[in-house]
């Protein structure tokens, strides 16, 4: 069965420090990969997506993610975190042949300390 | 409207009562999803509508849950004989295409069953 794992439930980083949020997936097909962010009191917003081609994708707000097929991973990174990045981040995976059913990870809550 | 609209934003109901949640997708979006987000957990897929095709109901947790959508417009999610474990945020999302198209989420309906 398809699954998405975000191993870290909570992460705390200092403002200005670098960030990496982990995402591992299990899929029987070439995946489509997404990262969404959910800020307090707001709906989910797409940060970035990967379908094919260059495995390093750039998103909004200075985020990037790298698809590593050999590791079944799609980790989200940001070189310098801002206090406004505090939110919950969700990795999601879909695939051709699985319709449009996106499977989401459990989320990682990011706290930023000043 | 410009985004996905869900109503009500909050609903408190007594155990055993029926509730109906509404979702207005972005105009022109052919696909519509319902997800459930329990406290501290990821998004749980419930049901997916694509155009006039038969909906994918594989995520509905029990026969107390049902959903309808007329054409490419409003969708309603109905929960009959609510139970306390139904307490969650119910998220609706719409998208314009298949597989690769990102989802646009509403702000959700927070359901509390007392």
């Amino acid at each position: 069965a398809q699954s998405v794992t975000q191993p870290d439930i909570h992460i705390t980083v200092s403002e200005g420090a670098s960030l990496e949020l982990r995402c591992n997936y299990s899929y029987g097909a070439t995946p489509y990969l997404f990262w969404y962010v959910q800020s307090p009191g707001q709906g989910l917003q797409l940060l970035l997506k990967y379908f094919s081609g260059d495995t390093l994708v750039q998103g909004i707000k200075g985020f990037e993610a790298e698809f590593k097929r050999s590791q079944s991973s799609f980790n989200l990174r940001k070189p310098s975190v801002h206090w406004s990045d505090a939110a919950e981040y969700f990795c999601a995976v879909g695939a051709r042949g699985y319709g449009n059913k996106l499977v989401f990870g459990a989320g990682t809550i990011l706290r930023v300390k000043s | 409207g410009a985004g996905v609209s869900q109503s009500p934003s909050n609903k408190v109901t007594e155990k055993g009562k029926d509730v109906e949640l509404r979702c207005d997708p972005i105009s022109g979006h052919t696909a519509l999803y319902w997800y459930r987000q329990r406290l501290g957990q990821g998004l749980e897929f419930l049901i997916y509508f694509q155009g006039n095709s038969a909906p994918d109901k594989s995520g509905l947790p029990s026969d107390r849950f049902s959903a309808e959508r007329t054409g490419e417009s409003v969708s309603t999610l109905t929960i009959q004989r609510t139970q306390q474990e139904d307490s969650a945020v119910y998220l609706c999302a719409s998208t314009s295409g298949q597989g690769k198209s990102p989802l646009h989420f509403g702000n959700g309906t927070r359901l509390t069953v007392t």
Side-chain angles (χ1 to χ4, degrees):
Chain A
Q2 307 87 32
S3 66
V4 180
T5 302
Q6 293 181 246
D8 305 304
I9 299 174
H10 296 97
I11 283 187
T12 300
V13 299
S14 298
E15 191 169 15
S18 64
L19 170 70
E20 183 169 28
L21 302 182
R22 296 182 290 166
C23 173
N24 294 95
Y25 66 89
S26 173
Y27 249 75
T30 300
Y32 305 144
L33 297 154
F34 305 82
W35 274 99
Y36 285 84
V37 59
Q38 187 176 36
S39 298
Q42 299 186 22
L44 281 90
Q45 179 184 23
L46 179 70
L47 279 177
L48 47 77
K49 58 185 183 286
Y50 169 80
F51 300 145
S52 64
D54 192 348
T55 56
L56 183 64
V57 293
Q58 303 296 322
I60 62 171
K61 304 183 181 185
F63 285 91
E64 67 178 25
E66 186 171 11
F67 170 55
K68 293 186 177 180
R69 185 185 299 276
S70 62
Q71 298 177 20
S72 298
S73 70
F74 188 57
N75 294 348
L76 181 71
R77 301 194 294 247
K78 186 169 184 178
S80 178
V81 169
H82 188 263
W83 64 267
S84 60
D85 294 325
E88 188 163 17
Y89 293 79
F90 293 93
C91 179
V93 183
R96 187 181 305 171
Y98 291 91
N100 287 332
K101 189 190 303 182
L102 278 190
V103 176
F104 282 79
T108 297
I109 296 173
L110 173 64
R111 298 190 178 108
V112 180
K113 59 182 181 180
S114 55
Chain B
V4 177
S5 177
Q6 291 188 246
S7 60
S9 56
N10 283 284
K11 176 72 176 178
V12 180
T13 189
E14 292 180 352
K15 178 181 173 181
K17 295 287 181 66
D18 298 350
V19 295
E20 190 173 277
L21 313 180
R22 177 187 170 103
C23 173
D24 282 274
I26 293 173
S27 178
H29 279 190
T30 58
L32 185 148
Y33 298 74
W34 284 97
Y35 284 87
R36 177 169 70 177
Q37 185 177 22
R38 287 181 165 140
L39 187 64
Q41 300 186 23
L43 279 69
E44 177 187 0
F45 169 80
L46 296 178
I47 188 169
Y48 159 64
F49 297 91
Q50 172 63 56
N52 294 320
S53 302
D56 178 349
K57 303 180 181 181
S58 60
L60 294 178
S62 77
D63 60 7
R64 296 187 294 105
F65 287 72
S66 63
E68 293 183 349
R69 187 185 187 196
T70 304
E72 296 180 357
S73 61
V74 171
S75 175
T76 55
L77 175 69
T78 301
I79 308 173
Q80 295 178 310
R81 305 180 302 281
T82 53
Q83 303 295 313
Q84 288 186 332
E85 66 260 26
D86 299 334
S87 295
V89 176
Y90 289 82
L91 291 165
C92 175
S94 69
T95 182
S96 59
Q98 298 196 14
K100 299 180 178 181
S101 301
L103 303 184
H104 297 262
F105 283 87
N107 288 335
T109 294
R110 182 176 299 278
L111 175 66
T112 303
V113 182
T114 61

